[in-house]
Amino acid sequence: MALVKKKKKKTLSESKGEIKIVCSAEKYVSMESLIPNDDNPRTLTKDAALNIKASILKIGLFKSFICWKSNGQILGGNQRYWVLRKMQEDG
């Protein structure tokens, strides 16, 4: 299991702007390489998704994803992942 930390500040580019990444990570990986966990017991409600999106837009990503090194499956951050994917789709 790997904690994805960053060594310096970066941004996640979007067509309408950029999202600040203010957390630390040991390694950067692309969103495309992450695999959501189908066994995640938490469900993402519409209200929670809106709150997560508002937080990301206001202060950026302040928490890194926790993933398996071997395959990139997300252990922590599935809800943030789905919100970011939706934001990418929406442009």
Side-chain angles (χ1 to χ4, degrees):
M1 176 172 35
L3 175 61
V4 181
K5 293 182 176 178
K6 74 171 194 158
K7 294 181 180 168
K8 57 185 176 179
K9 290 185 179 182
K10 287 200 172 192
T11 57
L12 178 65
S13 295
E14 289 191 328
S15 60
K16 289 186 177 181
E18 295 183 335
I19 296 172
K20 276 192 311 189
I21 300 175
V22 294
C23 57
S24 297
E26 177 182 306
K27 177 181 174 184
Y28 286 104
V29 296
S30 68
M31 282 287 291
E32 292 75 23
S33 70
L34 297 177
I35 300 169
N37 187 345
D38 292 334
D39 295 325
N40 182 21
R42 297 182 69 190
T43 57
L44 181 60
T45 65
K46 187 174 182 177
D47 286 342
L50 291 173
N51 288 336
I52 292 169
K53 180 179 179 179
S55 173
I56 289 170
L57 292 173
K58 183 177 180 179
I59 60 175
L61 286 174
F62 63 92
K63 210 171 182 186
S64 58
F65 292 95
I66 300 173
C67 307
W68 286 109
K69 277 186 182 180
S70 60
N71 65 4
Q73 185 178 38
I74 301 168
L75 299 173
N78 281 279
Q79 292 186 352
R80 280 176 281 130
Y81 170 84
W82 288 116
V83 170
L84 287 169
R85 290 299 297 232
K86 179 72 170 133
M87 290 170 73
Q88 281 181 324
E89 288 173 14
D90 293 347

